[in-house]
Amino acid sequence: MLYRIEGIVIRSMDYGEGNKIITLCTKSHGKVGVLVRGAKKVRSRHGAATQLFTFGEYVFFRGMGSIGTLNACEITEPNHTLREQLHLAAYASYVVELVDRALQDEESGGAMFDQLLAYMRAIREGKDAQVTTHIFEMKLCQAVGVAPSVDSCVVCGRTDELTGFGWRLGGAICSRCRPREHGRYVCSGNILKLMQVFIKTDLRRLGDITLKQETKLQLRDCMRGYMDTHIGVRCKSLQFLEQMEKYDLAPLPSMTEKEAEEQEGNGGD
């Protein structure tokens, strides 16, 4: 059967001497594997279609229960920038690996496809890559059913006197229940406010986001802890991302203290 599907390349690997197998995240067919014959050859007309992060329309033939074989591809967004800039490549590689690990073959992937496409456009256009990645992590948590409780205490359910975010317990914590979470696992009320914004944010309508460095570091620690605890998938690409952050290969943008406080005051949106 012949398929014509819009897809984003979330994995690309060599197969045999001159071929590649790509994994596409699609809106209509979830995660799909496609064999691209001769893709490694210098003059291959399909070489560009196998590059990570490429978004295009893929035409392939697939028999019952077999992997597809590419016939043609029209590239819509090559996303060269995401591969050429080190820090963008690191964040985008982590995100597509998350999607690859989260989606099952043929599983409906409409929501993930839309958010992934919007994510790549956002960081390509200059949105803060770290913060945008954390928003995408929240979208993925919602998609797989492990989103944190941010509007009520995760322990007792009360909605008032929320004082912080406990990433081990998985959500907001009120003043009465705060002792139930170890201090090292509790983030400040400012981080909770950001979480409340993130869970309602659609990446397709993302505005400019600017946070001061201290807040970004707290947010990073909180989201990494939450993802490790509740998703339980340690992506290989995350190791490189952490090394890049360790050696400051992606410097954080500077801003005045007043601007930072105003930005945090409205939730960073």
Side-chain angles (χ1 to χ4, degrees), residues 9-201:
V9 179
I10 59 174
R11 179 157 43 110
S12 180
M13 64 180 186
D14 295 342
Y15 180 74
E17 293 186 2
N19 310 320
K20 285 192 173 184
I21 293 178
I22 58 175
T23 301
L24 301 174
C25 174
T26 74
K27 187 169 185 175
S28 56
H29 290 71
K31 194 169 68 173
V32 177
V34 179
L35 172 65
V36 185
R37 299 188 183 278
K40 293 170 61 179
K41 296 180 180 179
V42 176
R43 296 187 178 181
S44 171
R45 62 192 179 97
H46 294 321
T50 66
Q51 296 293 310
L52 206 60
F53 317 134
T54 298
F55 167 51
E57 185 178 63
Y58 290 78
V59 180
F60 58 90
F61 178 84
R62 186 176 65 178
M64 184 67 66
S66 65
I67 192 169
T69 301
L70 188 69
N71 287 20
C73 176
E74 182 176 343
I75 297 176
T76 307
E77 296 176 23
N79 285 318
H80 296 302
T81 305
L82 302 188
R83 295 189 294 273
E84 294 168 355
Q85 295 189 24
L86 181 62
H87 73 288
L88 295 184
Y91 283 110
S93 295
Y94 165 65
V95 162
V96 296
E97 186 177 354
L98 271 181
V99 173
D100 189 24
R101 301 285 290 273
L103 277 181
Q104 301 298 317
D105 293 344
E106 300 299 319
E107 179 184 4
S108 177
M112 276 289 87
F113 173 85
D114 289 337
Q115 293 303 305
L116 177 59
L117 183 59
Y119 168 84
M120 294 195 302
R121 288 171 174 170
I123 65 172
R124 189 182 67 208
E125 293 166 2
K127 299 292 194 300
D128 188 295
Q130 180 198 324
V131 178
T132 306
T133 297
H134 294 323
I135 297 174
F136 184 88
E137 289 174 327
M138 187 68 77
K139 299 295 103 180
L140 184 135
C141 287
Q142 289 177 284
V144 300
V146 293
S149 171
V150 297
D151 294 321
S152 61
C153 178
V154 71
V155 178
C156 69
R158 66 187 298 182
T159 58
D160 60 330
E161 296 186 30
L162 300 178
T163 61
F165 184 90
W167 53 258
R168 185 179 62 87
L169 289 175
I173 300 178
C174 69
S175 56
R176 185 173 58 187
C177 297
R178 190 180 180 100
R180 296 196 179 191
E181 180 73 286
H182 192 286
R184 65 180 295 187
Y185 305 136
V186 178
C187 301
S188 68
N190 285 338
I191 297 300
L192 174 59
K193 291 178 182 178
L194 286 174
M195 295 293 191
Q196 291 169 338
V197 171
F198 288 177
I199 208 164
K200 299 174 183 177
T201 298

Side-chain angles (χ1 to χ4, degrees), residues 6 65 84 143 182 196 202 212 220 224:
E6 284 191 327
E84 294 168 355
H182 192 286
Q196 291 169 338
D202 187 330
K212 59 183 178 180
R220 183 186 68 190
R224 294 276 166 82

Side-chain angles (χ1 to χ4, degrees), residues 222-233:
C222 181
M223 284 304 300
R224 294 276 166 82
Y226 185 85
M227 295 292 288
D228 285 346
T229 303
H230 299 278
I231 296 294
V233 173

